[in-house]
Amino acid sequence: MGDKKQQARHKRVFINDVDGYSSRHIAKFLSTCAAEESSEEAEEEDSAASSHREPAFQMVGSVSASNQDETHSFLHEQYAAPTRDELLEHLLECDVVIYNISECATKQQVEEATWAIEALHAEMENFKSRKIFILLSTVMSWAMTKPQNPEETDVVLTEEEFRRRRPHPSFRNHHNLEKLVLKLGKGVSWLMQLPKVPLFGEGTNYIPTIHVYDLGGVLQNIIEVRPKSKYIVAVDDSKNTLGDIVKTISDTLGPGKLNKVPEEEAIAMKAFKPEELEYLCINLRLDAFVIRDSFSLHWTSDTGMVANMESIVEEYKDTRQLIPIRISLVGPPAVGKTTVAEKLCNVYQIHHIKVREVMEDKIAQLVEHVFALNATDDFLTKRVQGLPQSVAERMRYTQEEFVPRLTRYRQLSTAEETLLDYFDELEIHPEHIEVTTCDSEYKDVMKKITEMVGSPKNYGLSPEEQEEEDRRKEEERKQKAAAEAAEKKRRNEAALAEMAAQYEEWEHELLEARALPLRNYLMKYVMPSLNEAMLDCCKIKPEDPVDFLVFTRETLCSRGFC
């Protein structure tokens, strides 16, 4: 009985591209929604049992092939790059299908969503229960919508006017797909990507926003309430301009100042892709009447980004795992502290702070790691002796400076109270790493430290860094291809040379094999008579030795030897 009730309460919900930001968080939110209980069920269960609420939705979703090894605990099943036949089977098993094309969707994503709604519509006669299809689109399909009265400057658009909406030229495919979904009788919801600093343009345009968890709540209500309205706008109650949002971001995370940059410079600076800049240029003020009047939402951010920026920043840090890291390196002179420190700063994108620059009140806020690099005196001495004179002088590793420095370090290391003891008292236990090789890249040391600290949680590369990385990879690819081609040519030439040598050897052996019977015949029957004739020629010494030998040959032939 209990299993039947649990099965009845569950709805199987599909969402595409769960490895994308909004789809992942929507799926995560819906997986935590508790199932509603009827009054009869509540009466049957005692108070202790009713305190445990079963999840309302069983989430499944698709992921790209590149992320197929990444698992999501909130997903019951995930499908890595399924074929369309496989995907249709999965969609038919679901009660709700959500297709998200809101995050700069590619042509392929829009085409897949179009195929999905058409394929499901074609199978409607075979449905055993009612299904809900939800298209999660973008307000960029409203971007060119003009007010009915051009003289009114403060016009607020609502979903009731959705038939008047006019899309941005780059989002006509989104607009066409929305019309198809409406034609086939299903509901549509919305999402808008959030803009980013710096501020391009005047910033007076209005940007509709909604928190991803609130968007999840809207989808939950669509699934459960099944509103009569076929077109639903999902936005919060804020009416913030781009300038308001950017200023608040700057106040919270930056110096509190705005840098207004002409829009045409955005692409030249490679700060945004053209389609991303289009998101920043939208100018819409929307009211979500259906959400406000018909839905029951537990808002996460009903007043928008500006009013909730601090909590949004904390969510962003948590999602990106932007955990502050502090690393302290100690060790004898010439062990490689400076080099390793610079490399760690590049890996973790943190500042290289010199000891004199350390401020205790700031450092105390960070998570600290301490590593002690160790090496023998003999190893350090040989390493310093192998350095160029200019490097030794710059690093103060000349013999006159290095030996006293090393001696002083060893004395301090054996004192009653050392630097490492200080960290131990703070319950920050140093990790000791032995340096035994003269590898200038310190690969073993870097590997050990990064394994202990963890993988870097950094922002992506800048456009310039990405271009440089692409050039580097392309150069490596060309070098690898050239090396492989040269190796292939060398192997081919070696194989041909070997084949030629074998062929010559085989030919020589074949000639010898063919000549063997004739040789035996000559040695047995001809050479004795010829030798005898040659001896006679030497004894007789005829006037014409050639005629004499010819006569001898004729004699041999008469005897059957020719």
Side-chain angles (χ1 to χ4, degrees), residues 3-216:
D3 293 340
K4 292 182 179 179
K5 288 181 180 179
Q6 179 176 337
Q7 185 176 5
R9 284 196 295 268
H10 277 301
K11 278 187 172 64
R12 189 176 178 90
V13 180
F14 169 89
I15 186 167
N16 68 310
D17 297 333
V18 182
D19 39 354
Y21 180 83
S22 59
S23 290
R24 179 173 70 253
H25 284 81
I26 289 169
K28 188 175 181 180
F29 174 85
L30 292 176
S31 69
T32 63
C33 296
E36 296 291 338
E37 294 182 342
S38 67
S39 58
E40 294 180 358
E41 290 174 338
E43 291 176 359
E44 291 178 0
E45 298 178 354
D46 57 28
S47 58
S50 63
S51 62
H52 176 68
R53 304 284 297 279
E54 296 293 338
F57 309 121
Q58 185 183 76
M59 301 303 300
V60 300
S62 61
V63 297
S64 60
S66 59
N67 293 321
Q68 60 182 338
D69 295 332
E70 182 180 352
T71 59
H72 302 282
S73 59
F74 50 84
L75 285 185
H76 182 69
E77 294 176 2
Q78 68 180 41
Y79 317 118
T83 65
R84 289 197 169 178
D85 289 340
E86 294 171 341
L87 183 56
L88 180 57
E89 290 183 9
H90 297 313
L91 297 181
L92 291 173
E93 294 172 351
C94 296
D95 302 294
V96 180
V97 174
I98 302 173
Y99 255 88
N100 183 1
I101 61 168
S102 64
E103 293 187 278
C104 293
T106 62
K107 181 180 179 182
Q108 181 180 356
Q109 288 175 310
V110 176
E111 289 177 350
E112 181 181 301
T114 303
W115 162 83
I117 182 63
E118 291 177 339
L120 288 171
H121 189 264
E123 294 287 336
M124 283 184 63
E125 294 182 357
N126 301 322
F127 289 174
K128 296 180 180 179
S129 60
R130 182 176 180 179
K131 298 184 183 296
I132 301 176
F133 185 94
I134 303 175
L135 179 67
L136 192 59
S137 189
T138 167
V139 290
M140 291 302 291
S141 63
W142 288 67
M144 307 303 291
T145 307
K146 304 298 183 184
Q148 289 182 325
N149 185 355
E151 296 180 358
E152 296 181 6
T153 59
D154 296 330
V155 175
V156 176
L157 301 174
T158 69
E159 56 258 87
E160 295 176 352
E161 302 175 80
F162 72 88
R163 290 182 179 85
R164 293 200 310 107
R165 72 194 189 284
R166 295 293 181 269
H168 186 283
S170 300
F171 290 83
R172 288 196 179 98
N173 289 335
H174 293 67
H175 183 247
N176 292 335
L177 180 53
E178 293 170 15
K179 292 193 294 185
L180 175 63
V181 174
L182 285 171
K183 178 182 177 181
L184 299 180
K186 302 300 178 180
V188 181
S189 295
W190 300 91
L191 174 68
M192 174 63 192
Q193 269 200 333
L194 302 182
K196 302 177 182 178
V197 292
L199 177 61
F200 292 97
E202 292 300 318
T204 56
N205 53 308
Y206 289 88
I207 305 291
T209 60
I210 186 169
H211 194 284
V212 67
Y213 286 156
D214 294 330
L215 179 59

Side-chain angles (χ1 to χ4, degrees), residues 192-259:
M192 174 63 192
Q193 269 200 333
L194 302 182
K196 302 177 182 178
V197 292
L199 177 61
F200 292 97
E202 292 300 318
T204 56
N205 53 308
Y206 289 88
I207 305 291
T209 60
I210 186 169
H211 194 284
V212 67
Y213 286 156
D214 294 330
L215 179 59
V218 172
L219 295 174
Q220 177 190 5
N221 276 262
I222 293 175
I223 297 170
E224 295 178 345
V225 177
R226 299 176 184 174
K228 294 180 180 180
S229 176
K230 298 299 183 182
Y231 203 102
I232 299 170
V233 173
V235 295
D236 54 40
D237 289 337
S238 66
K239 299 293 185 294
N240 299 138
T241 65
L242 175 61
D244 296 334
I245 296 173
V246 175
K247 181 63 167 62
T248 306
I249 292 175
S250 180
D251 290 340
T252 307
L253 297 175
K257 298 179 180 179
L258 296 183
N259 179 26

Side-chain angles (χ1 to χ4, degrees), residues 487-500:
E487 177 62 18
K488 184 177 181 180
K489 181 180 179 181
R490 186 195 64 76
R491 290 198 302 265
N492 290 341
E493 291 176 348
L496 288 173
E498 184 179 358
M499 291 174 61

Side-chain angles (χ1 to χ4, degrees), residues 513-550:
R514 289 177 177 176
L516 187 59
L518 177 61
R519 185 183 301 137
N520 292 339
Y521 175 83
L522 292 174
M523 292 297 294
K524 184 175 181 180
Y525 296 106
V526 177
M527 292 306 297
S529 299
L530 184 60
N531 287 337
E532 184 179 349
M534 293 292 291
L535 291 172
D536 290 343
C537 183
C538 293
K539 291 177 181 180
I540 298 173
K541 298 181 179 179
E543 294 180 0
D544 191 348
V546 176
D547 288 341
F548 179 80
L549 290 177
V550 170

Side-chain angles (χ1 to χ4, degrees), residues 427-438:
E427 296 186 355
I428 303 172
H429 306 295
E431 298 285 349
H432 294 267
I433 298 177
E434 193 71 23
V435 179
T436 58
T437 63
C438 293

